[in-house]
Every structure is written in structure tokens, then in C-alpha cells.
Amino acid sequence: MTVSRKSFLTAGLAAPIAAILAACTADSSDNSTASVATAVTTGEISVEHAFGTTVIPAGASRFTAIAWGNHDVALALDVMPAGLSSQEWGTEDGSGMMEWTKQKVDELVAAGAEQPVLFDDTDGYDFEAIAETHPDVILAAYSGLSQEDYDTLTKIAPTVAYPGVPWGTKWREMIRLNSQAMGLAEQGDALITDLEQQIDDAVAQYPQIAGKSAAFFYMSQSDTSTIGFYTTADPRTAFMTDLGMTIPASVQAVSDAEPETFFIDVSSENADQVADVDVMIIYGENSDLAALQADSLVGTIPAIKNGAVAFVGNGAPLSASTNPGPLSIPWGIKEYVALIAAAADKAAAS
């Protein structure tokens, strides 16, 4: 199955992540608060994924990340990737990097790291550009690689692909697989623990969302003939459980029936299929709600009728941050949860 990016568009952590990495890695700059970590694998590492097992030799120290969010794992661990996929959707400054990614890249460059090479893989991977970054390892734990893509990439360097479904890697899996491939598994686990605490702290401010059923949807205001939602294979809908919410039975049933896909389109004539959703998270603007409510089919969905909809924008940084990652979560979790809580208030009033 080939799914291009275009189509998808410490209780144990007693010290901050940066402090742990500073203790176990080499380089740092006296002129910056940021530290540039040097990850070098000290022994052979085997990483299992959908295409088999990738064996990473000892001494690997140069990492290139492709697709979506994998570079943020390296950056969150203070390791500068040699190259990374540029981003357009979700960026506003023309830098080719998400706001949270650019901030971290700028910090590490200021601390002495080399600027990473950016390459566009929107319509297919630029294998020549990837090869020119001379990677020891290619990080792609969250991606939609085809077997052909994977075979080509492995001729450049050992490649870590997704563990199950294309574009179906959850944020914890993305961190674990990529950090393991960099020889930083322990630091990756600490990063996950730190992020879980940040999520819990944000959610604690809004007890009204606990137990509400929610899923991530997409719809066109100009063509409401179909209703689209992401299944539990997708990190966006799966993230609802991280917020203490539940997956609607309707969404769970479809997810179980079609485990190989991360999104589903249903006819608006079957709008009652998602009538059990308390809160809908949707790409779009608040101004879109009136049109949806006026639609004779879509407007019958209780969440839309009640206005229990969290619009996260469409192409703005916040909308991109809803696909959770190690840098996007700290960047946007407070605003994201506040939007969902406001929608949950309306669901509760229904």
C-alpha cells in the first residue's frame, strides 16, 4: 500500500530532558542555553518495523529524517538531523519548517550545529537529495513508505519505517522507534514521560472533557456530500484518549473493521452513523459552523447541531500541531485542549 504524504496531508524523569542529554553526550556551547547533543550508536541495534528488521551498526552518528515529525524526535533530544523533509501546510513564514521545528533548529544552530538540508517529499521522496546528506540512518517511523520506497532508501542507509499501518504510527511509537535507532532509547522513554506530564497538566485545567467521546474529522464546507474522519490508527483521533476522552463506538467499530486505513469517508446521507460523537475536532474555522448546521444532512449530527465542534484552523500552525509530536505537543497543547474544552461545554449542555 502506497500512501504519499500529499494524500494525508518522569516520575522516572527526575531531571529535565536537556539535563539528561547534557550528561550523556559530548558537545555544548557556552554561548547558548541550548546544547547540541551528539548521538553515536555504541553497538549494533536492531529495530523491527513493517518491512522487517533494520540493523544499525555501531558508530552511526548522522541521521536524516523524512516524512512527518520524525525530525522532531531528534531535535527534541537536542540532536540536529543532517536533513529533514520540508513542510508547507502548517507553516506561515516560508521557512519550510513548522514553528516549533524552526525554533529548535535555530537554537541548535546558535549552539554550533550545522543547518539541516531541507528536501521536498510532497509528491515523492527525493532520493538523490536524501543521499546527498550522507546519512548513517534514515528515520521514517512515521511515514507512508511503500515497499519500493523502503527498498530504495535502504540502498542509501539503514532505514527505520513505520511499525504497522502507513501513517498510523502513534506519537509514543514514533519517539521510541526513532530514539532507539539513534542509540537514545532511554532518553526517548524519558521524553515520553515528560510529554505525558505536560499533557496531564494541560488536561487537568478542564475536567469537563473527561469521558466525552471525540474523534478528529475533516469536511469541506463547499461539498458536504461526505463526512471524513480519522480512525484510531491515526495519531490525531488516537490522541483523544491521551486527553481522557473516549473513542465513539461508531468510530471504533469502523477502525476495527478496517485496520489498514487511517481515514474513512462516509456519505452524508449516513450522518446518523456518527451521532454518538460528543465532540468533533475539525479542520476549519469557527465561521464554518453556521454552514454545517444549515446543511440538511450534516446539520443533523448532534455535535454539530449543539456547536460541540473544535475548529483548529486549516493550514495554520495550530492545525498542524494537532498531529502530536515531541515538539508540537509542548508548543500547542494548552491552546488545543482549551478549544476542545469549549466544545465539550456545549456538548454537556445538550
Side-chain angles (χ1 to χ4, degrees), residues 98-231:
M98 297 297 178
E99 190 171 322
W100 47 90
T101 300
K102 186 175 187 304
Q103 180 179 359
K104 190 66 180 183
V105 165
D106 288 347
E107 288 177 5
L108 295 183
V109 168
E114 291 186 12
Q115 189 79 32
V117 174
L118 301 186
F119 29 76
D120 183 2
D121 59 19
T122 303
D123 292 312
Y125 296 105
D126 187 340
F127 298 110
E128 182 176 351
I130 293 169
E132 287 177 352
T133 65
H134 304 294
D136 294 325
V137 180
I138 297 172
L139 306 176
Y142 182 40
S143 68
L145 295 181
S146 66
Q147 180 72 58
E148 183 179 3
D149 291 333
Y150 176 74
D151 291 344
T152 303
L153 289 167
T154 55
K155 294 176 183 176
I156 299 171
T159 300
V160 176
Y162 48 84
V165 179
W167 298 114
T169 311
K170 313 300 189 298
W171 67 271
R172 289 179 183 82
E173 294 175 304
M174 177 173 67
I175 293 173
R176 288 196 179 103
L177 285 169
N178 287 326
S179 63
Q180 180 185 358
M182 299 169 64
L184 296 174
E186 182 178 349
Q187 290 84 349
D189 287 341
L191 174 60
I192 290 170
T193 300
D194 181 53
L195 291 166
E196 288 173 337
Q197 186 62 57
Q198 293 186 51
I199 294 168
D200 289 346
D201 290 346
V203 170
Q205 304 301 312
Y206 303 100
Q208 66 268 44
I209 71 173
K212 291 286 192 304
S213 65
F216 206 115
F217 287 74
Y218 55 90
M219 280 185 272
S220 168
Q221 283 66 48
S222 61
D223 180 7
T224 57
S225 62
T226 60
I227 303 166
F229 62 84
Y230 297 103
T231 71

Side-chain angles (χ1 to χ4, degrees), residues 277-326:
V277 181
D278 291 329
V279 177
M280 301 176 76
I281 294 85
I282 304 181
Y283 290 123
E285 307 296 336
N286 289 331
S287 57
D288 297 331
L289 180 61
L292 295 177
Q293 290 176 323
D295 186 273
S296 61
L297 296 174
V298 172
T300 64
I301 300 172
I304 289 180
K305 185 187 301 183
N306 297 329
V309 181
F311 289 100
V312 296
N314 192 359
L318 179 65
S319 53
S321 76
T322 61
N323 197 331

